[in-house]
Amino acid sequence: MPRDKAKRKQKRVPNAKTNKKTLSWSRLDNAAKIFPPTSHGADSGVFRLSCELREPVDPGLLQQALDDTLTRFPHMLMVMRRGVFWYYLEQTAQRPLVMPEHAPPCAPLYEGSGSLLLEVSYWRSKINLDMFHVLADGAGAIAFFEALMTAYLALCHPEAGTQVQLQAPVSQKWADSFQKYYKMRSGEQSSGAGRAYRLRGPKRPDGGLTILEGVADVRQVLDAAHRYGATLTVFLTAVLFEAIHEEMYVRHRKRPVVLTVPVDLRGFFPSDTTRNFFSTIRVGYHFGERSGELEDILTETAAAFKSELTPEKLAARLNKLASLEHNPLLRPIPLALKNPVLRFSGYIADMGETAALSNVGKFKLPEELHPYVRGFGVFMSTGALELCTCTFDSSLHFGFTSVKEATDVQRRFFTRLTEMGIEVEIRSNEYNEEEP
C-alpha cells in the first residue's frame, strides 16, 4: 500500500521554537552511510517499533506527548540532504503530526530532502514509530519510543504519579560513537562467508513486505533454551536455522545457511548515543556437511557467537566501518559515483546472507505504567527475511518481515516452538485494514 503523499505533506508544520542549542547539521554516522544508496523497494531502510495498549489511543494526548518528547530529543528532527561527497543530516523546523496508520510497517519515509525521517501513527489501541535507519539504530529508537510512551501514558493516567526521567544531554545522545572509538590501524578483518543459500519463492506482487508476528511467554522460551544449555538468542537462532533447513531442496544444501545478527556496540564500548552504533556478526551452518540435528546446530551457533562476540573482533569491525569515511581514495569521489559502488557492495554483502535475526532486548517503562500496556513489537525492512524479537514483562514478541509471498519458514519456526511445549499466539499479517 503506497503512502498518501498529500497526508504526508499536511503532517509537517513549522515551529519557531526549534532548539537552537542542537547541531544545525551533521554527517551521517558510518553505519548510516550504506542506507541511502541501498534502500529501495521493500528494503526501505525503515524499521518500526509498536506498542499495544489496553485502551484506545487518544490522538490529542499522543500529539502532546510527541511534542514534549521531541523537546528532549531535538536531534530526531532532521532531514537528509544530498552533498557533493556524502549525504548529511540537517536540523529542521518541521514537526511531525501523529496520524491514523495509513501505510504498512516499514514503508519508505525518505522522499527527498524535505522528508522527516520518523513518523508516529496509531490504529485502535496501537501506537507505531517508523524511523529511517540513518537517524538511529534500534537501541536509539527504543530510548526515544520508551520516552514517548512514558510521556503519553503519564498524560492519560496522571493518577499513576509517573515522573518523567531525565535524559542524557543532547551532545551525548547525538555523538558519533564510531568516530569516538575509531583508531587508525588495520584490525582483524573478516574473511567473509562467500555465497550463502538464498530463500526461494516468488516475491509479493505489490513489492511490499509480508508481515507475520507471534507472541509467547518468555519464561516458556527461556525454559526451552535452558534445557539445551543455550541463551535465548542462540536458541532462537538455532530454531530459525531448522525452519530454513526444512524448506531447502537437497541440491541447495551445498551452500551454507548464513544468518546476520546485529550487535549493539554499547555493551562493549560505553556510549549514550541514540545514533547508529551497532555492528553485525554472521553465523553459518552447513547442512550439507553436518547432521542438522538441533543439538549440533546449537553447538555450532553457540561457538560462533562466542568466537565473534569479543571486544577485539568487534573493535576490528568498528574500525573497518569507520574507515569508510577516512578512506583517502573514496573520500574525494563525488556522491553520484559513490552511490553505485556502495549499492554494488551492498548487493555482494547480501549474497552472503540467507536471513537476519535481531534480538533488541527488553522494553522498559515505569512499573506503575505496566498495567496499561499489552506489549511491544519490532519490525525491520528487509530484502530477504528478518526476525526481530523483543520482550516486555513476560511477553516475547516475534516480528517476521519478508519480501516473499509464502510464510512457510515463519510458520515452521512457530511450529517448532509449539512442538517444544511453547504456546505461541500468531497474529494477522495485515496491519492496515480500514476501520469497520
Side-chain angles (χ1 to χ4, degrees), residues 3 7 11 48-53 55-64 66 96-103 119-130 145 148-149 152 431-435:
R3 290 184 181 272
K7 288 183 180 179
K11 76 169 187 169
R48 166 173 289 191
L49 309 181
S50 65
C51 179
E52 185 178 3
L53 305 175
E55 58 195 7
V57 174
D58 183 321
L61 291 182
L62 180 58
Q63 182 67 59
Q64 183 180 341
L66 178 59
L97 294 180
V98 302
M99 59 196 329
E101 185 176 10
H102 59 97
E119 180 174 280
V120 176
S121 62
Y122 62 92
W123 185 71
R124 295 181 179 174
S125 60
K126 184 171 286 188
I127 295 173
N128 309 305
L129 170 67
D130 288 88
F145 196 48
L148 172 62
M149 294 310 306
Y152 171 72
Y431 271 64
N432 303 291
E433 301 167 355
E434 294 296 326
E435 293 282 357

Side-chain angles (χ1 to χ4, degrees), residues 32 34-48 104-110 131-134 198 203-204 206-211 260 278 282 342-343 345-351 353-356 379-386 388 401-404:
I34 194 65
F35 290 106
T38 60
S39 298
H40 56 87
D43 194 4
S44 62
V46 173
F47 56 87
R48 166 173 289 191
C106 311
L109 284 175
Y110 179 70
M131 185 175 289
F132 192 24
H133 222 316
V134 301
R198 301 285 288 171
K203 294 184 177 182
R204 285 177 60 117
D206 61 2
L209 288 170
T210 296
I211 308 293
T260 296
F278 72 96
R282 282 187 168 175
L342 293 173
R343 195 173 297 121
S345 67
Y347 169 78
I348 296 299
D350 288 344
M351 290 299 99
E353 172 187 311
T354 305
F379 303 92
M380 180 67 203
S381 63
T382 179
L385 179 144
E386 180 148 351
C388 294
T401 50
S402 173
V403 295
K404 307 294 185 182

Side-chain angles (χ1 to χ4, degrees), residues 245-282:
H245 175 230
E246 291 177 5
E247 291 301 309
M248 296 175 70
Y249 295 150
V250 172
R251 66 179 181 273
H252 293 151
R253 295 174 187 172
K254 62 184 179 181
R255 298 196 187 279
V257 176
V258 179
L259 301 182
T260 296
V261 181
V263 178
D264 183 2
L265 292 176
R266 296 166 184 83
F268 298 86
F269 307 94
S271 173
D272 289 321
T273 186
T274 58
R275 300 180 75 175
N276 288 291
F277 193 44
F278 72 96
S279 183
T280 59
I281 63 172
R282 282 187 168 175

Side-chain angles (χ1 to χ4, degrees), residues 271-383:
S271 173
D272 289 321
T273 186
T274 58
R275 300 180 75 175
N276 288 291
F277 193 44
F278 72 96
S279 183
T280 59
I281 63 172
R282 282 187 168 175
V283 181
Y285 189 88
H286 205 308
F287 287 95
E289 298 178 355
R290 302 192 66 89
S291 70
E293 298 293 329
L294 180 59
E295 290 81 358
D296 188 60
I297 300 173
L298 283 162
T299 298
E300 286 290 293
T301 301
F305 271 74
K306 183 177 180 180
S307 171
E308 296 298 317
L309 291 178
T310 66
E312 294 76 19
K313 286 197 174 183
L314 291 173
R317 293 191 186 92
L318 185 155
N319 279 348
K320 182 179 180 181
L321 191 58
S323 66
L324 179 69
E325 181 176 338
H326 298 275
N327 189 320
L329 298 178
L330 189 61
R331 188 186 306 173
I333 298 176
L335 184 61
L337 299 179
K338 276 195 184 89
N339 276 342
V341 174
L342 293 173
R343 195 173 297 121
F344 181 71
S345 67
Y347 169 78
I348 296 299
D350 288 344
M351 290 299 99
E353 172 187 311
T354 305
L357 186 149
S358 178
N359 181 5
V360 303
K362 295 181 180 179
F363 278 84
K364 300 175 183 177
L365 294 178
E367 193 68 31
E368 62 269 19
L369 298 180
H370 285 213
Y372 309 113
V373 178
R374 291 185 182 275
F376 287 82
V378 182
F379 303 92
M380 180 67 203
S381 63
T382 179

Side-chain angles (χ1 to χ4, degrees), residues 183-202:
K183 296 180 180 179
M184 296 186 64
R185 63 177 183 178
S186 57
E188 181 180 356
Q189 302 297 330
S190 171
S191 60
R195 293 198 63 176
Y197 168 72
R198 301 285 288 171
L199 295 169
R200 266 58 179 178

Side-chain angles (χ1 to χ4, degrees), residues 214-241 259 261-262 283 294 297-298 301-302 305 309 357-363 387-398 413 417 420 422 424:
V215 180
D217 189 321
V218 68
R219 293 165 295 194
Q220 292 184 355
V221 183
L222 283 172
D223 286 345
H226 293 162
R227 288 199 297 270
Y228 290 99
T231 65
L232 177 65
T233 304
V234 167
F235 174 72
L236 295 176
T237 302
V239 175
L240 184 55
F241 271 128
L259 301 182
V261 181
V283 181
L294 180 59
I297 300 173
L298 283 162
T301 301
F305 271 74
L309 291 178
L357 186 149
S358 178
N359 181 5
V360 303
K362 295 181 180 179
F363 278 84
L387 168 60
C388 294
T389 66
C390 66
T391 58
F392 178 75
D393 279 347
S394 62
S395 175
L396 173 61
H397 182 274
F398 304 94
F413 175 88
L417 292 181
M420 297 179 187
I422 300 168
V424 182

